[in-house]
Amino acid sequence: MSCFQCGKALASALLSPEDTQRMDREMASILPMVMERAGMMVARLIRQHRRPCRVLVACGPGNNGGDGYVAARYLSEWGWPVSVASFQLPREGSLADQMARRWKGAMVPFVPEEAQQADLVIDAVFGAGMNRDLPEAVERFFAAAGQIVAIDVPSGLDGATGAVRGQVTPCWMSIALIRKRPGHLLSPGREICGEVVCADLAIPEAIMAEMDVRVWENGPSLWSIPVQAADDHKYKRGVVSICGGAEMHGAALFAFEAARHVGAGLVRLTVPSDAALLYRLASPAAIVDTQPLEQALKDERRHVWVCGPGLGMEEAEQTLPLLLKAGRQVVADAGALSWAAGKTEALKGVSVITPHMGEFSRLFGDLTGSRLDAARRAAAELDTVVILKGADTLIAAPDGRVAVNVHATPALAVAGAGDVLSGLVAAFLAAGMPAWEAAAAAVWVHGEAGQRAAEKKAGWIVPEDLFYELGRARQAASCPA
Ligand SMILES: NC(=O)C1=CN([C@@H]2O[C@H](COP(=O)(O)OP(=O)(O)OC[C@H]3O[C@@H](n4cnc5c(N)ncnc54)[C@H](OP(=O)(O)O)[C@@H]3O)[C@@H](O)[C@H]2O)[C@@H](O)CC1
Ligand SMILES: Nc1ncnc2c1ncn2[C@@H]1O[C@H](COP(=O)(O)OP(=O)(O)O)[C@@H](O)[C@H]1O
Ligand SMILES: [K+]
């Protein structure tokens, strides 16, 4: 079942600097109109969010500066007291230069004292074209400002990765042009952008349709979760099997309960025989198998497995290779990932891996560059879907697609929340969803259930609180408002 539709997903596209450059080239003939609209939309959005006040627009030499000169003109026409401080004038004859020449209002020096005196500073110094560390003069200028609104991205933020290149003062609001950038969602960028609002620049549909977007904000436009149907039966809903260990029962049970509560038709635990009683006592609902794994694998209906939560190294070694040899769809987490450290190729054939940053580094080495690129490389290397967990979770496919998930809550920062996620991924795989879509949907539903549970418990939840929110969370993901 393939449910990914590029057109539907375009609304949640996250634009990379390469995407915007390509776009700019394609609409070269209408770029003056687009910049005019960009500046006007910035001014409009500011007017929607603030009463008139003393505004200082800080402009750089590129198109971001061009947008700034236009915004200054509109606010001034509407009667706001506006001045412009130029960090560096645009190149003569450039589009930004044309916009700068149409600014007839006050110009003031680009110094911290001016920033300090303004009620609101608009950051139009650097945007998508920032290509080296932030000059110190820019750092000092914004550090003196009270309230900052950034056009597109705060100067110094790498829109592609969320990395900051210098001392970037947090903004009150960032106005993303056309669509957000990955850097608006990825830490540490996310913490300095303030509220992110998108300005619609009315880009022609044909140009938008041509965009080869590879990164999206995770949300229901990226996938379709099967809905309940009159002819449902448990095998149609999907069978999930979970390997349980001899010592840490809780982890496998969290995955088990999560898969059950999110709607899997049948969930079974396969555990060492001397641990079976403990599993049965812990969860009377559990179907606990003690037959050897080889035996369980003879049942073709059991094609989706969770391997890792609560498993020791030896247990992972005794289970994961067998599951893969039998051609099963495997969600590998926790113990399975620890076992594979130093022999990452042992994970080839796994459908989805769910490492947090510590597990990821043990598998793929210390992070160099961005998490987004690292997750994407890992997915391609193993030919598997990678869920790189954290406050912002990345879901990377081997073909380069990445969903960035911020639909979550810090209330999820509790041991066991990751085991719940493994059960959800398996349930959606068992329901027939393709691996990347199943993974992205599971992460979103996990976040939704976390938010709902946190709301009820003032933010302090235990993994069990998620279970009874999963039905409604799935429903919210299937039928978005
Ligand atoms: N399709 C869209 O989305 C649309 C986007 N639009 C807008 O265009 C913006 C992107 O514009 P842009 O490409 O001109 O880049 P921008 O950031 O203004 O700066 C480039 C200049 O800065 C310089 N420079 C860079 N880093 C530096 C540093 N650290 N320290 C010092 N200098 C540095 C760099 O120097 P150079 O590399 O040439 O030496 C060059 O001169 C985008 O964010 C959005 O606001 C809208 O107008 C229309 C539709
Ligand atoms: N600050 C946070 N904001 C949002 N989600 C978080 C945050 N911290 C952790 N999470 C989520 O909680 C889960 C924790 O998983 P993990 O670290 O594997 O825990 P465990 O293995 O103990 O179950 C992950 O899905 C992660 O994305
Ligand atoms: K900016």
Side-chain angles (χ1 to χ4, degrees), residues 356 389-391 393 408-410 412-413 415-419 421 446:
H356 53 59
K389 296 183 292 194
T393 292
T409 160
L412 286 168
D419 307 318
L421 179 63
H446 188 243

Side-chain angles (χ1 to χ4, degrees), residues 178-189:
I178 305 172
R179 294 286 185 280
K180 291 179 198 168
R181 324 284 144 160
H184 287 122
L185 304 186
L186 295 168
S187 291

